[in-house]
Amino acid sequence: MRPLLDPAPEYAKWQSEEPIRRVTIWGDNSPWLITGHEDARTVLADPRFSADANRPGFPHTRPGAPPQAPGLFHQMDPPDHTRLRRMLIPDFTFRRIEQMEDAIQRICDDLLDAMTDGDATQADLVAAYALPLPTLAICELLGVPYEDHGFFREKSNALTSVAGDPAEAMSARMALYGYLRALIERRAQDPADDLISRLATERVATGEATLDEATGMVSLLLLAGHETTANMFPLAVIALLQNPAQLDALRADDSLWPSAVEELLRHLTVIHSGIRRIATEDVDLSGVRIRAGEGVVVALQAANRDPSVYADPDALDVRRDAGGHLAFGHGLHQCLGQSLARTELRLGLSTLFRRLPSLRMTAPLDSLTLSTSTVHGVRALPVAWK
């Protein structure tokens, strides 16, 4: 069974014996796998390693990946990456997310009110809390109607599944893009105080971005804005319940929550499919020559457990200084929404354990069904409380 809270043990072995090694991911696509923290940071910051998913030989997560769509700046290089990302930065600054804290706290409380309503003493934490929390938050920031969450969740699952049919993924993309394109066009005529309205009126209307680019950007933000945190959250709950001394420390001292979130991000690192790059010229990396046109996969979950950077890296320590972890990537493509994710995790976890001090799992770890997404997680987490 695939490990739930820890990376596969092979990563630690490779990290100590051959931290840059060839792997075969599908067919004859055999990129280099990077498992060391320093090498990972180097690759993610070096412009000679391209994020352009349209380059021949790019190490996609599966064969038959559809052509790169306009607006998906996470798989673009400068200057297009810079141009598009810059349009979104004002909505994801630390100050902007700080202004959302009251709204996110209200979401946490409302969801827990509903989950514990009446005589309820058990629930699926994923369906009742972990999934709707980031979904509601990103919908509020973007201006996407939450009542449509069933539709875009279904399309998100098809787009991010590593086991799905490429034709189904393309169909899901077209359906989601059609929905978002129509929403952007409506907001251009009737704007509100949200990111989609600002894109429509300040970027598309002025010619700074095309409608297709805006559609792609919103699609990326919508999917990434709920998929990663929704998967991270239940794993964080499990990790804390499995480490009661760490949870007790948090209950005794609320000021530890920010460092705990960083440590949980490091310890769990839900992007298990790696960050993909392709070399645009020959690069010598720690004694290994990576040739132009060769793919690279950065194993974040291994890099974040590198013993040369983090003492006793497999232990969860909420007091640890986990600074420098790579859960949000590194360099130009570092996650735009990381402040939002941190806030959701801090408020969501602290509120959950404060309001439900007797929270416990009601299913053994080995019975939980893993997600088939490129983001590691569980499909359901049965819990109970007194």
Side-chain angles (χ1 to χ4, degrees):
M1 180 180 176
R2 183 180 177 188
L4 181 60
L5 299 181
D6 299 307
E10 289 83 359
Y11 283 112
K13 182 176 184 293
W14 296 338
Q15 194 175 69
S16 64
E17 296 177 357
E18 194 179 2
I20 304 176
R21 58 177 284 133
R22 286 276 199 182
V23 293
T24 299
I25 53 176
W26 45 263
D28 60 354
N29 196 309
S30 300
W32 295 95
L33 181 71
I34 311 295
T35 54
H37 189 275
E38 183 178 352
D39 290 333
R41 283 175 58 90
T42 298
V43 169
L44 295 176
D46 192 326
R48 295 175 295 177
F49 291 101
S50 171
D52 185 353
N54 283 331
R55 287 180 179 270
F58 191 88
H60 293 281
T61 55
R62 60 186 175 188
Q68 183 66 10
L72 301 185
F73 57 90
H74 71 302
Q75 291 187 326
M76 295 179 180
D77 298 327
D80 285 335
H81 168 268
T82 309
R83 175 177 63 86
L84 297 177
R85 182 181 171 113
R86 187 177 291 148
M87 296 178 190
L88 305 171
I89 288 175
D91 283 279
F92 287 93
T93 62
F94 178 80
R95 182 176 181 182
R96 173 71 180 95
I97 302 306
E98 194 174 42
Q99 292 170 346
M100 289 184 65
E101 283 208 17
D102 288 346
I104 295 171
Q105 183 63 64
R106 183 179 66 251
I107 290 169
C108 295
D109 288 326
D110 289 347
L111 290 173
L112 287 176
D113 286 346
M115 192 173 88
T116 60
D117 185 44
D119 297 327
T121 58
Q122 56 186 348
D124 169 14
L125 194 67
V126 172
Y129 193 62
L131 178 57
L133 194 169
T135 306
L136 281 161
I138 196 65
C139 283
E140 182 163 322
L141 189 151
L142 294 179
V144 174
Y146 179 72
E147 55 266 27
D148 295 333
H149 70 277
F151 165 79
F152 62 74
R153 180 64 183 168
E154 176 190 347
K155 304 311 173 189
S156 172
N157 288 339
L159 282 167
T160 60
S161 174
V162 295
D165 181 348
E168 291 180 7
M170 177 59 81
S171 176
R173 177 199 275 186
M174 298 305 293
L176 181 62
Y177 276 37
Y179 166 83
L180 292 175
R181 185 185 183 101
L183 181 57
I184 294 169
E185 290 176 323
R186 289 201 304 273
R187 291 294 162 76
Q189 300 301 317
D190 185 19
D193 183 17
D194 55 49
L195 185 149
I196 288 178
S197 296
R198 284 185 282 277
L199 267 182
T201 58
E202 298 174 13
R203 306 300 183 180
V204 177
T206 61
E208 292 182 58
T210 66
L211 181 56
D212 284 344
E213 287 175 331
T215 302
M217 285 191 281
V218 174
S219 169
L220 174 60
L221 295 175
L222 179 62
L223 267 59
H226 80 275
E227 183 78 17
T228 49
T229 305
N231 281 283
M232 172 70 189
F233 197 95
L235 294 185
V237 170
I238 295 169
L240 289 171
L241 291 175
Q242 295 288 308
N243 291 271
Q246 300 298 308
L247 183 53
D248 287 345
L250 290 165
R251 284 173 167 149
D253 184 358
D254 269 354
S255 70
L256 289 176
W257 274 111
S259 68
V261 167
E262 299 306 315
E263 171 66 348
L264 287 163
L265 287 163
R266 178 203 71 84
H267 186 74
L268 297 169
T269 312
V270 295
I271 306 298
H272 273 204
S273 59
I275 295 183
R276 313 296 173 111
R277 296 287 187 265
I278 189 167
T280 59
E281 58 183 86
D282 292 356
V283 181
D284 290 323
L285 183 65
S286 296
V288 175
R289 173 153 294 187
I290 299 175
R291 302 284 184 182
E294 292 180 341
V296 174
V297 177
V298 178
L300 300 179
Q301 69 273 44
N304 279 341
R305 299 281 187 105
D306 190 332
S308 70
V309 179
Y310 302 104
D312 195 9
D314 293 331
L316 178 69
D317 180 1
V318 298
R319 293 185 173 88
R320 184 198 302 270
D321 179 3
H325 71 73
L326 302 175
F328 292 116
H330 179 64
L332 289 176
H333 289 81
Q334 194 170 25
C335 176
L336 181 65
Q338 59 184 284
S339 291
L340 177 60
R342 285 184 168 102
T343 300
E344 291 168 346
L345 289 168
R346 174 173 54 83
L347 294 179
L349 289 168
S350 62
T351 303
L352 175 69
F353 285 110
R354 182 182 70 251
R355 290 190 51 176
L356 299 177
S358 62
L359 187 76
R360 66 188 187 279
M361 293 172 55
T362 58
L365 282 179
D366 59 6
S367 72
L368 300 179
T369 302
L370 299 183
S371 167
T372 59
S373 166
T374 54
V375 182
H376 182 50
V378 293
R379 293 185 180 179
L381 180 60
V383 295
W385 58 91
K386 292 180 182 177

